[in-house]
Amino acid sequence: MQVSIFVLPTQKNMTTKDKIIELGRDYVQRLGYHSFKYQLIANDLNIKNAAIHHYFPAKEDLGVAIIEKDRSDFKLLTESIKKHPLKDQAEALLTLYINYYNQKKNLCIVGACVSAFAELPEKMALASQNHLETIQTWLINLLKQGQASGEFRFKEKPEDLAALWISALPGALQSAQIKGEAHLMQVITQLRQTLKTQQPT
Amino acid sequence: MQVSIFVLPTQKNMTTKDKIIELGRDYVQRLGYHSFKYQLIANDLNIKNAAIHHYFPAKEDLGVAIIEKDRSDFKLLTESIKKHPLKDQAEALLTLYINYYNQKKNLCIVGACVSAFAELPEKMALASQNHLETIQTWLINLLKQGQASGEFRFKEKPEDLAALWISALPGALQSAQIKGEAHLMQVITQLRQTLKTQQPT
DNA sequence: TTTGCTACTTACATGCAAGTAAGTATCTTT
DNA sequence: AAAGATACTTACTTGCATGTAAGTAGCAAA
C-alpha cells in the first residue's frame, strides 16, 4: 500500500500548471501559506515570477488549487483502499502523517490553513473547511463501521474520537519539529489504542 | 481558581513595554507570528511604530519576550495550584484552552511557534522549545503523581499520554476555528477520559 | 498564410513592513 | 543648574512580495 516515501514533487509529464500546484503544496506544508512565495516556485521551475501569475492571477487562486488538489488526493486514497480491513484504512491516515514528517513537511494542508486561518482569503477558508469536512466525515464513517462490525471496540462516540484524531495528528506533526519523530510516534501509539482493536496474541 | 475570562489586555499601571508584550501576545495568538505587525500595537497604544523599536529593536526580540512572558505565566499558574487535587490541576490546563477559544485566540503561543517554526528566528525557536519543554515536563510529572497515588488510573506511559495532550490541545484550538467550540469540547472530553479518574457516583 | 491562442518574458508600479538616524521633551540624579 | 538617561516622534531608507501591462515566440486551426 505504501509506495515511496520520497515522491518527486514534479515529474516530466506534468503540465507547468500542475507542477506549480505540487511545488506550492510542498512549500505550504514546509513554510505555511504566508511564508511561501511565488519566487520559490519560479526558481525551482526556471521560469519567471509572472509566469505563475499567468496560471494563478492571485496567490489566493493558487492557495485554493492546492487545497482542492490535496482534498482530491485524499479522496482518491480513501477510495482506493475502501475494501481493505478497517484497521488498515485507519493506519493509512496515520501513515500519511508519518510520511509528511519524513518528507520534512511539518504541516498538513488543513493544519497549514487553520494555523493561518484568521489571515486567510475567504475562498481558501471555504476550501479548507470543505477539506476538513471531507476528512472528518470519512473518519467518522470508518469508526462507525468498525464499531458496528466489532473490528473496533471503543466505547466513545465515533464523532468524539474523530475529533481527537483530526486535532492530535496535525498538532503532533507540528510539535514534532521541536520534539522529534518519537513524539509523533507516541501520539500515533495513543491514537491506535483508542480503537481497541483485537490484540494479536 | 478561574478569575475572569475576559482579561483586559493592558492595564493602567503597566509600563508601555509590558503593554507591548501583552498586546503582542494577543495578536500572535489571533494572527500568528508573521501576520502580526508592529503597526497594530502602535495603533492600540497611540504611539508610533518606531516607539516599539525603541523597546524591541527587532521583531525577533519582541517575539522572544512574548514567549518568555507566556512561559513565566504558565509557571506562575502551575505553581499557584500545585497543592490542589491533581485532577483540578489537569483541568486547569484544559480551562486555559477553553479560555483561549472564548477570547478568540485560536493559537496558543506554542502552537503559534510550531506552526511557523520553519520561518522562525533562531532565538524564538529556542525560546519556544524551552516553553514546550516546561509544559511537557509539568504534565508528565502531574500524570506520574496521579498514577502513583491512584488518582489517575490510566495504563499508558505518562510520557505518551502527555504527548497526546500537548498535541491535541493546540490542534483542537486551531481546528475549532472551523469546527466551532463543540469540536474543542469533544477533544477535551476525550482527553479527560484518558485520565481514568474515579467516576463520581 | 494569416489569425489567434498558449505560454511565457520584460519591465514596471504599488504597497507595506522592518528597521534606522536624528531630534525633542520630560524627568532624574548629582 | 547641568548632565544624562528615558521615552518617545519625525522622517527616512531598504527590501521584498504581489500584481500588472505589454510584448514575444511558437504552435495550431481555418
Side-chain angles (χ1 to χ4, degrees):
Chain A
M1 184 165 54
Q2 185 170 318
V3 185
S4 163
I5 291 182
F6 298 102
V7 183
L8 288 174
T10 61
Q11 289 163 341
K12 280 184 185 166
N13 61 339
M14 291 171 75
T15 63
T16 299
K17 189 173 183 179
D18 286 337
K19 287 180 187 168
I20 291 170
I21 295 175
E22 281 313 306
L23 284 168
R25 174 158 63 171
D26 261 52
Y27 281 117
V28 168
Q29 291 195 242
R30 285 175 219 272
L31 308 178
Y33 176 67
H34 295 293
S35 294
F36 113 84
K37 320 280 151 131
Y38 273 22
Q39 196 55 53
L40 293 167
I41 298 175
N43 290 346
D44 290 346
L45 294 179
N46 274 307
I47 56 177
K48 301 297 162 184
N49 216 306
I52 304 180
H53 284 284
H54 169 68
Y55 294 103
F56 303 99
K59 198 182 169 186
E60 172 177 8
D61 300 319
L62 177 52
V64 169
I66 290 169
I67 297 168
E68 293 189 338
K69 178 64 163 62
D70 202 66
R71 185 169 170 229
S72 155
D73 283 356
F74 180 82
K75 284 181 174 174
L76 287 175
L77 170 67
T78 52
E79 191 64 24
S80 76
I81 59 173
K82 71 176 178 185
K83 299 283 174 59
H84 292 214
L86 300 179
K87 195 195 159 201
D88 290 356
Q89 293 186 52
E91 279 297 324
L93 183 62
L94 303 178
T95 301
L96 220 49
Y97 279 84
I98 294 171
N99 288 351
Y100 289 150
Y101 180 86
N102 288 328
Q103 294 165 36
K104 302 197 190 309
K105 296 177 188 171
N106 283 87
L107 297 163
C108 56
I109 288 298
V110 168
C113 289
V114 294
S115 67
F117 202 74
E119 295 289 289
L120 227 50
E122 201 180 326
K123 284 176 191 171
M124 285 186 65
L126 286 172
S128 54
Q129 195 167 351
N130 289 335
H131 192 355
L132 182 50
E133 184 78 25
T134 299
I135 298 170
Q136 188 191 24
T137 301
W138 170 80
L139 184 55
I140 290 176
N141 247 305
L142 186 77
L143 294 175
K144 282 183 178 169
Q145 284 177 54
Q147 207 176 33
S149 76
E151 243 162 305
F152 305 147
R153 295 188 303 176
F154 58 84
K155 296 277 188 281
E156 294 82 6
K157 291 185 209 156
E159 291 80 6
D160 290 1
L161 213 47
L164 181 66
W165 278 53
I166 62 179
S167 290
L169 285 171
L173 186 61
Q174 288 176 27
S175 38
Q177 278 173 123
I178 289 184
K179 310 280 352 168
E181 188 178 12
H183 175 84
L184 176 61
M185 295 315 297
Q186 286 176 321
V187 172
I188 286 181
T189 299
Q190 292 303 299
L191 293 181
R192 279 196 184 111
Q193 291 189 13
T194 61
L195 298 182
K196 309 266 167 69
T197 52
Q198 208 74 269
Q199 301 299 329
T201 332
Chain B
M1 182 166 55
Q2 186 170 319
V3 186
S4 161
I5 292 181
F6 298 102
V7 183
L8 287 173
T10 62
Q11 290 164 340
K12 279 183 184 165
N13 61 338
M14 292 171 75
T15 63
T16 299
K17 189 172 184 178
D18 286 336
K19 287 179 188 170
I20 291 170
I21 295 174
E22 282 311 307
L23 285 168
R25 174 158 61 169
D26 261 51
Y27 282 117
V28 168
Q29 291 196 242
R30 285 175 220 271
L31 308 178
Y33 175 68
H34 293 294
S35 294
F36 112 85
K37 320 280 150 135
Y38 273 22
Q39 196 55 53
L40 294 167
I41 298 176
N43 291 345
D44 289 347
L45 295 179
N46 273 307
I47 57 177
K48 301 297 162 183
N49 215 304
I52 304 180
H53 284 284
H54 169 67
Y55 294 103
F56 303 99
K59 197 182 169 186
E60 171 177 8
D61 301 319
L62 177 52
V64 170
I66 289 169
I67 296 168
E68 292 189 340
K69 178 64 163 63
D70 202 65
R71 184 168 171 228
S72 155
D73 283 355
F74 181 82
K75 283 182 174 174
L76 287 174
L77 169 69
T78 52
E79 191 64 25
S80 77
I81 59 173
K82 71 175 179 186
K83 299 284 174 57
H84 292 215
L86 300 179
K87 196 195 160 201
D88 290 356
Q89 293 186 51
E91 279 296 324
L93 182 62
L94 303 179
T95 301
L96 221 49
Y97 279 82
I98 294 171
N99 288 350
Y100 289 151
Y101 180 85
N102 288 327
Q103 294 164 37
K104 302 197 190 310
K105 297 177 186 169
N106 283 88
L107 297 163
C108 56
I109 289 299
V110 169
C113 289
V114 294
S115 67
F117 201 75
E119 294 289 288
L120 227 50
E122 202 180 327
K123 285 177 189 169
M124 285 186 66
L126 286 171
S128 54
Q129 195 167 352
N130 290 334
H131 192 356
L132 182 52
E133 185 77 26
T134 299
I135 298 170
Q136 188 192 23
T137 301
W138 170 81
L139 184 55
I140 290 175
N141 247 307
L142 186 76
L143 294 176
K144 282 183 177 168
Q145 283 178 54
Q147 206 176 35
S149 75
E151 244 163 302
F152 304 147
R153 296 188 301 176
F154 58 84
K155 296 276 187 285
E156 294 80 7
K157 292 185 208 155
E159 291 80 7
D160 290 2
L161 212 47
L164 181 65
W165 278 53
I166 63 178
S167 289
L169 284 172
L173 186 60
Q174 287 176 29
S175 38
Q177 278 173 123
I178 289 183
K179 310 281 350 168
E181 187 178 13
H183 175 83
L184 177 61
M185 296 315 297
Q186 285 177 323
V187 172
I188 287 181
T189 298
Q190 292 303 298
L191 293 181
R192 280 196 184 110
Q193 291 189 13
T194 61
L195 298 181
K196 309 265 167 70
T197 52
Q198 207 75 271
Q199 300 300 328
T201 332

